[in-house]
Amino acid sequence: MLTLGCHLSASNGYLHMGREAVSLGANTFQFFTRNPRGFKVKTLDLDDCAAFNSFWAENNGGRIVAHAPYTLNACSADPHIRELAEMIMSDDLERLENINGVYYNFHPGSHVKQGVEVGTDYIVELLNKLLKPGQKTIVLLETMAGKGSEVGRTFEELRAIIDRVEHSEKLGVCLDTCHVFDGGYDIVNEPDAVMEQFDKIIGLDRLHAVHLNDSKNTLGSHKDRHELIGEGNIGLDALVSFITRPEIKKLPIVLETPNDLDGYKREIAMLREAAKA
Ligand code: FE
Ligand code: FE
Ligand code: ZN
């Protein structure tokens, strides 16, 4: 069975998300660690964490994904914004140690005219401060569409970060199907070649999670607008064959499509059915 789920709201806590996921036919899910605007965070409820951990284990839940606020920029030219990114990520990671089997995914950042090398330096610097040998949580760099000055639009850019991170055993990648497609990787016509490239440049052992989205835009558009599964330019067939690839089907796969809960429930059921065939 696929480890498949969707993005959920964290506002009612972990146990609530776990129950909601199960009711949607999901055995994984993703959530924002805090309000992306303003970075507000609830006080950590250790009872809720423990209740979730046992509920999730009883229900055979797979690994889940915490998403850092996407407004955070680890490679801003402004030192205050970089400091804020460090504070928030370090606080998030500390909290996540109370949750079993969770990944922490983040957008590497936007270098805004500083150039990708300078951007990479800042991201590496931050990860070298944050990643500790004893931590349970693996941090994931998300593959980006290359909108504006986003770092992480190519596999090489992600590799350049990983190469310079000391505790890179705590670092991996989350592949977003909409982002790689918008970034110019043809997962519709040449999925084998794309995944071969991923393996050669980053290594499949670094791939820990997938964001499953269709795209409103075309191959190489560098746009990043998610579409419902089967309604975009990637299409249902390509997405189904992607998630049934041997190296992908064992990973947590999370929908970030423009849906309400009913819509997610339908997409999860549809994909489970299609992936069986
Ligand atoms: Fe993301
Ligand atoms: Fe994503
Ligand atoms: Zn996106």
Side-chain angles (χ1 to χ4, degrees), residues 107 142 144-145 176 178-179 213 224-226 256:
H107 296 178
E142 182 165 353
M144 300 312 293
D176 185 310
C178 168
H179 296 179
N213 303 306
D224 188 4
R225 298 275 314 281
H226 302 182
E256 298 176 312

Side-chain angles (χ1 to χ4, degrees), residues 263-275:
Y264 276 136
K265 190 173 185 173
R266 279 196 301 274
E267 278 190 345
I268 291 167
M270 170 183 77
L271 288 165
R272 288 206 188 283
E273 189 57 39

Side-chain angles (χ1 to χ4, degrees), residues 18-258:
R19 291 211 165 106
E20 198 159 63
V22 168
S23 81
L24 299 175
N27 49 355
T28 182
F29 61 91
Q30 175 177 270
F31 59 96
F32 283 125
T33 52
R34 60 187 72 216
N35 188 333
R37 277 172 255 278
F39 305 119
K40 263 185 66 180
V41 68
K42 302 199 314 167
T43 47
L44 183 63
D45 181 349
L46 289 174
D47 291 339
D48 178 48
C49 294
F52 166 76
N53 286 335
S54 44
F55 173 84
W56 201 237
E58 279 159 25
N59 284 277
N60 299 313
R63 283 177 162 270
I64 60 171
V65 184
H67 197 306
Y70 52 81
T71 41
L72 190 147
N73 190 2
C75 60
S76 168
D78 181 341
H80 298 294
I81 293 177
R82 293 202 305 276
E83 229 170 84
L84 182 68
E86 184 188 335
M87 264 171 49
I88 283 171
M89 289 177 77
S90 134
D91 185 53
D92 280 351
L93 283 170
E94 206 176 297
R95 290 158 170 273
L96 289 173
E97 286 297 295
N98 298 294
I99 298 297
N100 296 336
V102 64
Y103 290 115
Y104 185 55
N105 174 72
F106 79 109
H107 296 178
S110 294
H111 63 73
V112 199
K113 294 188 189 138
Q114 302 174 94
V116 67
E117 285 80 14
V118 175
T120 303
D121 287 347
Y122 286 140
I123 296 161
V124 166
E125 194 184 313
L126 174 68
L127 287 168
N128 278 331
K129 283 189 203 164
L130 287 177
L131 300 183
K132 309 264 159 56
Q135 74 186 58
K136 287 195 292 182
T137 308
I138 305 281
V139 174
L140 306 180
L141 300 160
E142 182 165 353
T143 59
M144 300 312 293
K147 192 173 46 154
S149 63
E150 279 172 348
V151 180
R153 70 193 276 172
T154 63
F155 299 157
E156 285 82 357
E157 287 184 8
L158 296 176
R159 179 78 242 176
I161 297 171
I162 296 167
D163 272 341
R164 291 168 53 203
V165 170
E166 191 189 346
H167 292 295
S168 70
E169 75 279 6
K170 302 293 178 192
L171 189 60
V173 171
C174 172
L175 185 152
D176 185 310
T177 54
C178 168
H179 296 179
V180 293
F181 181 75
D182 286 16
Y185 293 100
D186 192 353
I187 54 170
V188 177
N189 298 302
E190 316 223 305
D192 291 346
V194 171
M195 292 316 293
E196 251 166 58
Q197 240 183 308
F198 187 100
D199 192 27
K200 214 176 85 200
I201 298 163
I202 298 177
L204 281 173
D205 55 332
R206 296 272 179 195
L207 183 57
H208 291 290
V210 170
H211 286 166
L212 191 70
N213 303 306
D214 213 325
S215 174
K216 284 195 198 294
N217 294 100
T218 50
L219 179 71
S221 59
H222 302 296
K223 283 277 185 14
D224 188 4
R225 298 275 314 281
H226 302 182
E227 182 53 285
L228 297 170
I229 301 300
E231 316 240 317
N233 288 308
I234 304 176
L236 181 62
D237 290 352
L239 288 168
V240 169
S241 59
F242 191 75
I243 59 175
T244 49
R245 297 178 66 84
E247 74 275 30
I248 302 293
K249 67 179 183 193
K250 56 185 184 189
L251 303 174
I253 298 166
V254 178
L255 296 161
E256 298 176 312
T257 44

